[in-house]
Every structure is written in structure tokens, then in C-alpha cells.
Amino acid sequence: MNAEASILQHPMRALVIVEPGRPLELRDLPRPEPGPGELLVQVEAAGICHSDAHYRDGTGNLTRLPLIPGHEIAGKVVGLGSEHRGIPLGARVALHYLVTCGRCERCARGLEQFCDEVAMLGKDLPGGYAEYVVAPAANAVRLPDLLDPAEAAVMMCSTATALHALDKARLRPGETVAVFGAGGLGQSAVKLARVLGASAVYAVEVAPAKRAAAARSGAITIDPADGPPERQIRELTRGRGVDVALELVGLPLTAEQAVAAVGVQGRVALAGLSREPFRVRSYPDVLGRELELIGVSDHRREELDRLMELARTGALELGSVVAERLPLEADAVNERLDALASFRGATRSVITP
């Protein structure tokens, strides 16, 4: 019996959403087996995202239960299905979490997050809160030699979404940026805005530790306890406001503050998840300044390749974004999800099975 066959005969540990509103449970499950065009990946790092708290709590429109969550995944290829494409055993990879058809009109236009048949690892398909996960070989992103799997996992969602938000907002070198929310997504946004040439980045955050982390990455930090953030930003920009604002929290209040913080022809990119409306006044907020409100949904595969190149060249370093590494244990992970649900989470917690 070869090593690959032996691996597939044994069970694996996984954290599972059994029922909406209940804590994750640690279970022994059969290891998955890769089918045609698929890889079996031994998980070395799985990021804990705020979306996972939504899925656990029943506000994320899950299509299947029980479910292994986790869509920020990096690890080592330990099994190959038939018809796999170009990824050898032992390769270090991270996984693009959007599984798409590659054939529909939206995929052809580079809008794979809106694919007619899109499914998501950790939401529609088993994810990375486990010792092993199966994914299409086409979703594997090769890692630079020295990149930490924990950093690579974070890139798959929070960093990629931050890059997509900055792309959508058309950030140009020399422009100014305000980042509302300096958690895992916000810390990546601060770093990327600096890499992309922003002349100044303002990070709005209530938590002192997150403000300190943003400052270490080169941001000018804004404490809402010192007064309305939009007023502080306008004072610091001599009344002009910023060129780009990223709303990463998902609260009506921070969305309205982001709108108020931008100047003439400012662009507000909304990436924070919320079902609540926020108030925008037609003339003073939008028409009178030619303001743009821009929705941000997930990211594109090519943005992952760009991130890996930035990491390879040393332009982007995310070690400081990874606040803690947790074992694959229910109590520890549920505690972090509880913190995220109440906006108390660390910059990014990563499970390292």
C-alpha cells in the first residue's frame, strides 16, 4: 500500500457547524478523497474570518449542514486525483476559496465571484477547519519558498479582499486613504495602501491594540473616542478629506462616517458585511461632491497571484497581521468566533492543526 492510499484510510479531526447558533463541535470524520482534477491538501493554516462567525450564528445563508467552515487555507499537497493539472505532491499551496465553472459569461469576463455555478470552500463546500481538505487543482496557488503558511492563509481572504477594494476604488499613487476598521482586513488594507503608493493612510479603530498595530504599519491612527472620525480626518487633511475610504466594519455608523470623510470625487468602497441600511443624502453627500459608492464582493484569482508576487519580492509582509495561532480545538476557536461576533477579535487568528 502506498503512502497516499494509507493517508486516505484514516479519519481526520475537523471542527463542524452542526446547527445554526450553536458552538462548533470537534468531530472525527473520514478523510476526503480527491476526485478528477482535485487535490488533497494537508491543512497547515486556516484563518478565522468574521464571516465564519456569521456562518456559525446562522446569518450567512449556509446551503448545507453539517459543515466544516474555513475559507482561508494553506497547506501541503498530499494527494492527487486523476486529471490534476500541474501541481505535484508535496507542493506548498494556498487555496482560492471560490470554486467556479470557468465557462460562463461572467467567468469569461474575469468576474468569477459572480459565476453562475460559484461555490465557496467553508460555506458551500467543506473548508479548512480540519486536518485535510479537497479542492480543485485549479484553485491551488503556489507559495513562495519562504512564505509562512499562516500569512498565506490570511492572504486568501482578508488581504485579497483589501486589494480588491483598493482596486475597485482605483487608488492612485499619491492619493490618501482612510481605512474604517483595523482588524485583519484593515491591517492588510493599511499595508497594501502603502505598497500601492498612498501618500497617507488613516486608520479608524476603537481598539487600542489594533490602532497600535496599524501605526506600526505606517498608518495615522484615529480614535473615535476623540471625536467624530470624519471631523478628525478633515482636520488632518486641511478640510479636503481623503481620496479613498474603505468601510470594513459593516455598521451603518462607519459607512456614514466613510462617506463624510472623502473629498471631491472621493470613492467609498464598502466591504464590511451588513444587512442594515445607512443614510446617504443625495446632494450634499453624493451629487455635490461627485462621490462614488462602490460595492466590494470577494476578489479575483489574478489578485491572489499579485499578492504572492508582492510577498515573494518582500514588498508585502503580513507576519504582524497574524495575532495568534490556535490549535484545532473547539473551545479555543469558539472563543475567537465569539470575540469576532462582538467586534472584539484580534487582527487575525489562525488555526494551525
Side-chain angles (χ1 to χ4, degrees):
M1 180 183 298
N2 62 33
E4 181 180 340
S6 176
I7 283 173
L8 297 175
Q9 283 192 348
H10 298 286
M12 70 171 184
R13 295 181 306 134
L15 290 171
V16 180
I17 300 173
V18 178
E19 189 176 305
R22 284 180 50 186
L24 302 182
E25 296 182 9
L26 184 64
R27 293 190 170 183
D28 288 329
L29 300 174
R31 288 186 192 175
E33 184 171 353
E38 293 182 332
L39 306 172
L40 176 67
V41 174
Q42 183 176 12
V43 178
E44 295 179 331
I48 300 177
C49 180
H50 201 152
S51 298
D52 299 331
H54 291 309
Y55 302 151
R56 184 195 64 166
D57 297 341
T59 57
N61 298 323
L62 293 182
T63 59
R64 58 186 288 170
L65 286 174
L67 173 74
I68 302 171
H71 54 275
E72 297 184 349
I73 308 166
K76 182 172 66 175
V77 176
V78 294
L80 303 173
S82 62
E83 303 173 24
H84 69 278
R85 292 183 286 180
I87 305 291
L89 281 173
R92 300 171 66 245
V93 300
L95 296 178
H96 181 28
Y97 63 68
L98 295 176
V99 178
T100 60
C101 73
R103 302 180 304 273
C104 68
E105 181 265 345
R106 288 170 176 166
C107 284
R109 291 171 54 200
L111 301 174
E112 66 264 30
Q113 68 267 51
F114 303 106
C115 169
D116 292 342
E117 301 175 21
V118 67
M120 179 177 173
L121 295 174
K123 182 175 184 285
D124 307 301
L125 301 168
Y129 285 18
E131 293 178 310
Y132 298 88
V133 64
V134 160
N139 285 55
V141 182
R142 297 290 292 270
L143 304 189
D145 289 342
L146 299 180
L147 183 61
D148 185 334
E151 295 181 44
V154 168
M155 285 185 180
M156 293 301 100
C157 178
S158 63
T159 312
T161 301
L163 179 60
H164 188 55
L166 290 166
D167 280 353
K168 291 279 290 178
R170 304 188 307 283
L171 175 66
R172 296 182 289 266
E175 292 190 319
T176 54
V177 179
V179 176
F180 286 79
L185 183 54
Q187 298 291 334
S188 289
V190 168
K191 288 176 176 288
L192 281 167
R194 299 294 292 173
V195 169
L196 295 175
S199 60
V201 181
Y202 303 90
V204 180
E205 174 57 53
V206 298
K210 295 178 184 178
R211 285 200 307 275
R216 290 192 294 271
S217 296
I220 300 163
T221 59
I222 305 291
D223 183 354
D226 294 334
E230 65 273 28
R231 187 179 70 197
Q232 295 186 59
I233 288 170
R234 287 196 172 274
E235 289 172 354
L236 291 167
T237 58
R238 300 182 180 180
R240 296 178 62 86
V242 292
D243 299 297
V244 170
L246 305 185
E247 199 292 313
L248 310 177
V249 181
L251 294 175
L253 174 62
T254 47
E256 291 168 11
Q257 291 169 342
V259 167
V262 296
V264 170
Q265 292 192 332
R267 286 93 68 196
V268 179
L270 304 170
L273 300 181
S274 177
R275 295 182 182 276
E276 299 300 319
F278 65 92
R279 189 174 69 104
V280 178
R281 300 168 299 171
S282 175
Y283 181 77
D285 290 337
V286 181
L287 305 182
R289 286 184 283 156
E290 291 194 345
L291 178 141
E292 296 179 51
L293 288 174
I294 302 167
V296 178
S297 180
D298 292 309
H299 54 269
R300 300 187 302 272
R301 166 58 193 265
E302 66 89 11
E303 289 164 336
L304 301 179
D305 296 329
R306 286 167 58 194
L307 289 175
M308 290 301 164
E309 181 61 16
L310 290 172
R312 186 191 67 78
T313 62
L316 180 65
E317 179 278 323
L318 294 172
S320 60
V321 173
V322 180
E324 58 186 353
R325 299 166 192 247
L326 304 174
L328 187 67
E329 295 178 359
D331 289 346
V333 174
N334 280 311
E335 180 182 330
R336 296 311 181 274
L337 291 171
D338 291 342
L340 284 172
S342 58
F343 297 95
R344 294 183 290 105
T347 50
R348 210 47 153 200
S349 299
V350 177
I351 301 168
T352 54

